[in-house]
Amino acid sequence: MLTENQVIQLRESLNNKGYCQVNNILHSQLKEYLQIGSHLLEEQSHIETQNENSLIYIDSIPNKTYYSPSFGDILLAYFTKIYSEISGKNLVPSYSFFRKYFQGNDLKKHIDRPSCQYSATIQINSSVDESWDFFITDKQNQKVECKTKVGDIIFYKGEEVEHWRETLKYEHSSHFFLHWVDKDNPNYKPYHFDGRKSLSSPK
């Protein structure tokens, strides 16, 4: 999927700046699969009367969240080899997280917990064909504005670089956050599969 020169450039950016970006990494069939999966997930949640684990509020505005749905963990497994190649590390999955944001939502500035040593964010659906920018304060202390569309992915070091999104101006935007840790670093052993037995296991 990636050439040797691309991997070298992406690894250099990840190591020196704490992030790298690959545009249009999803082929059209995989995009469609993820979009269908997200719709089914939302319908299932509706049937279950929006239990507290699938609907949260930020500033009184709801946004739907799902911890490691099966099709998200499949995506996580899919990208493990790719991200291991880019990072030069033997990565083991931690967890996936799906969130559908609505107009007025944002993503507060933060750094991640240890389960998110190596992270990625990918937009899978949107009400409009335009970017909802992902901001990073990189390892050189520079504010970076990453423009993404459906199918673009940003790999970043979640514990090391602060990241956020500003207020969403359009109707909705759906994203996966994917997380891994270094399998060969004993300090991160408790975070393999985010403490679960395996992918798609309950927390």
Side-chain angles (χ1 to χ4, degrees):
M1 182 179 292
L2 298 173
T3 68
E4 184 177 350
N5 285 338
Q6 284 177 311
V7 170
I8 291 171
Q9 293 173 2
L10 292 167
R11 186 181 299 172
E12 181 179 358
S13 178
L14 184 67
N15 289 335
N16 294 336
K17 298 180 180 180
Y19 80 98
C20 60
Q21 181 170 341
V22 183
N23 292 334
N24 201 29
I25 200 167
L26 298 181
H27 56 72
S28 58
Q29 291 88 350
L30 185 51
K31 287 182 189 177
E32 186 177 1
Y33 164 80
L34 292 170
Q35 290 168 352
I36 291 170
S38 67
H39 290 314
L40 291 175
L41 190 65
E42 292 168 33
E43 287 299 317
Q44 180 182 12
S45 175
H46 178 72
I47 292 170
E48 294 171 353
T49 65
Q50 302 289 9
N51 64 69
E52 292 180 359
N53 293 323
S54 65
L55 183 65
I56 67 171
Y57 287 81
I58 297 179
D59 298 329
S60 299
I61 302 170
N63 69 110
K64 296 179 179 179
T65 65
Y66 307 89
Y67 176 90
S68 276
S70 294
F71 79 105
D73 278 1
I74 291 171
L75 189 65
L76 181 60
Y78 175 83
F79 278 113
T80 297
K81 182 179 179 181
I82 298 170
Y83 202 2
S84 292
E85 185 178 14
I86 291 171
S87 64
K89 301 292 184 181
N90 182 19
L91 298 183
V92 61
S94 176
Y95 70 99
S96 64
F97 196 82
F98 174 81
R99 175 168 282 169
K100 182 175 183 179
Y101 296 88
F102 297 93
Q103 188 174 32
N105 286 152
D106 61 16
L107 178 65
K108 303 298 184 186
K109 272 187 186 181
H110 68 286
I111 58 172
D112 292 326
R113 60 191 180 92
S115 288
C116 313
Q117 182 189 18
Y118 288 87
S119 296
T121 180
I122 185 165
Q123 185 181 38
I124 63 168
N125 209 351
S126 175
S127 58
V128 298
D129 184 23
E130 63 180 70
S131 174
W132 186 26
D133 299 345
F134 187 73
F135 292 91
I136 291 173
T137 302
D138 69 15
K139 292 175 69 173
Q140 299 172 8
N141 204 32
Q142 298 294 312
K143 179 183 176 181
V144 180
E145 182 178 359
C146 301
K147 293 188 174 296
T148 63
K149 292 190 176 182
V150 173
D152 299 343
I153 191 168
I154 301 168
F155 297 104
Y156 60 99
K157 295 186 176 182
E159 285 187 298
E160 297 183 31
V161 295
E162 191 176 49
H163 46 283
W164 69 98
R165 280 189 169 97
E166 296 181 349
T167 303
L168 181 63
K169 303 298 184 184
Y170 50 85
E171 186 179 351
H172 63 80
S173 186
S174 298
H175 301 254
F176 262 111
F177 295 91
L178 308 172
H179 305 289
W180 297 262
V181 296
D182 182 356
K183 188 175 182 179
D184 299 325
N185 187 330
N187 293 328
Y188 286 88
K189 188 173 182 179
Y191 308 107
H192 294 188
F193 308 117
D194 201 27
R196 299 174 292 163
K197 292 182 179 181
S198 66
L199 289 180
S200 294
S201 297
K203 177 68 173 172

